Amino acid sequence: MEAHKKIYFKTEAEWLAYKKDKLGSSTAGTVAGLNKYETPFSLWERITHRTPELEQTEEMVHGVYMENSIRQIFKHYHPEVEFLRDLNQILLYEHNDYPFIQSTPDDTVWFEGQEMNCEIKSTSAYQTPDEVPDYVIAQCQHQMLLSGHDKTLLIWDYVPARRHGYMVIDYDEAYAQDLIDVQVQFHDFVVNDTPPPARTLSDFAKKDTVDA
């Protein structure tokens, strides 16, 4: 698999400014209707600036700063792993045909004899591979399509019990391409300033306001 376009940023501010209002791996599951915390309609509202940007919660801040600790914990139990990311820069992948579709994996690792993506989570929602939410799987599939890797090491720290878990996710080309297709369709709603179909009662109530 070939990687899509690579863009490097020296600062987080540059990276955030470049990807503003774009579709990334963290929103892939939302666009596909897999995220119970956000609907495609509410994401459309954010991207079209009808609602404020999501504020960074305390949980999100903790998650960012815990990433490196989770790396070290995982390496303690799996000393063979090598984390390959250059922490002095941020790598963003951009789709060759659809530049509004982007991705920034947390890391790249050498694990189980090959190079693969790595996604790191701090969570209170799941402990075992069977409990990993569909939108997280979608995020990893989206990242693999853009990065050219055919596996992702997903590592999580289950916060309530301070227990780590992991799984290796194989690339599913058909699934990943479906995610791209729905994002292209969603982007048409953004460009045309037309709301996507409502999915929840809250969506329907807000859509009536948009249509008025």
Side-chain angles (χ1 to χ4, degrees):
M1 291 170 54
E2 292 292 327
H4 286 250
K5 182 179 179 181
K6 295 181 180 180
I7 305 174
Y8 293 91
F9 298 89
K10 293 182 179 180
T11 68
E12 183 179 46
E14 292 174 339
W15 170 66
L16 289 172
Y18 187 83
K19 73 187 194 77
K20 183 176 175 60
D21 298 334
K22 307 294 198 314
L23 300 177
S25 55
S26 62
T27 59
T30 298
V31 173
L34 302 174
N35 188 349
K36 67 179 181 179
Y37 301 107
E38 185 174 42
T39 67
F41 181 85
S42 58
L43 174 61
W44 173 85
E45 285 188 303
R46 282 202 294 115
I47 291 180
T48 58
H49 306 288
R50 285 174 165 81
T51 56
E53 285 293 315
L54 292 177
E55 293 187 7
Q56 196 173 43
T57 64
E58 186 174 5
E59 183 180 27
M60 292 165 65
V61 172
H62 284 210
V64 169
Y65 287 104
M66 286 177 63
E67 272 189 20
N68 196 48
S69 296
I70 295 171
R71 284 182 179 89
Q72 299 308 312
I73 291 169
F74 187 80
K75 190 168 182 63
H76 174 84
Y77 292 106
H78 306 273
E80 74 280 10
V81 71
E82 294 182 50
F83 291 94
L84 306 176
R85 176 184 166 188
D86 180 354
L87 297 179
N88 294 315
Q89 62 184 5
I90 300 173
L91 168 60
L92 178 143
Y93 293 97
E94 184 173 274
H95 198 287
N96 292 331
D97 299 322
Y98 307 111
F100 55 86
I101 297 178
Q102 304 171 347
S103 176
T104 301
D106 289 332
D107 214 319
T108 305
V109 298
W110 186 264
F111 187 63
E112 295 186 345
Q114 71 176 87
E115 185 175 295
M116 61 182 73
N117 286 346
C118 181
E119 186 62 27
I120 301 170
K121 301 292 188 185
S122 173
T123 180
S124 59
Y126 52 92
Q127 298 186 64
T128 70
D130 290 339
E131 297 172 322
V132 175
D134 289 339
Y135 67 86
V136 174
I137 300 298
Q139 178 179 9
C140 294
Q141 292 291 343
H142 179 274
Q143 290 174 347
M144 285 185 279
L145 185 147
L146 292 179
S147 71
H149 292 110
D150 61 6
K151 291 183 183 293
T152 293
L153 172 63
L154 173 64
I155 306 170
W156 62 87
D157 188 276
Y158 180 65
V159 175
R162 306 311 306 168
R163 182 180 298 116
H164 93 286
Y166 79 97
M167 65 185 296
V168 174
I169 302 170
D170 292 318
Y171 179 58
D172 184 330
E173 183 175 5
Y175 180 23
Q177 187 57 54
D178 283 345
L179 291 172
I180 296 299
D181 292 343
V182 296
Q183 289 176 91
V184 171
Q185 294 169 11
F186 178 84
H187 187 252
D188 286 341
F189 290 118
V190 174
V191 171
N192 295 321
D193 201 34
T194 303
R199 293 176 179 269
T200 66
L201 290 176
S202 176
D203 282 354
F204 279 106
K206 290 186 290 186
K207 188 173 184 298
D208 288 340
T209 303
V210 172
D211 291 339

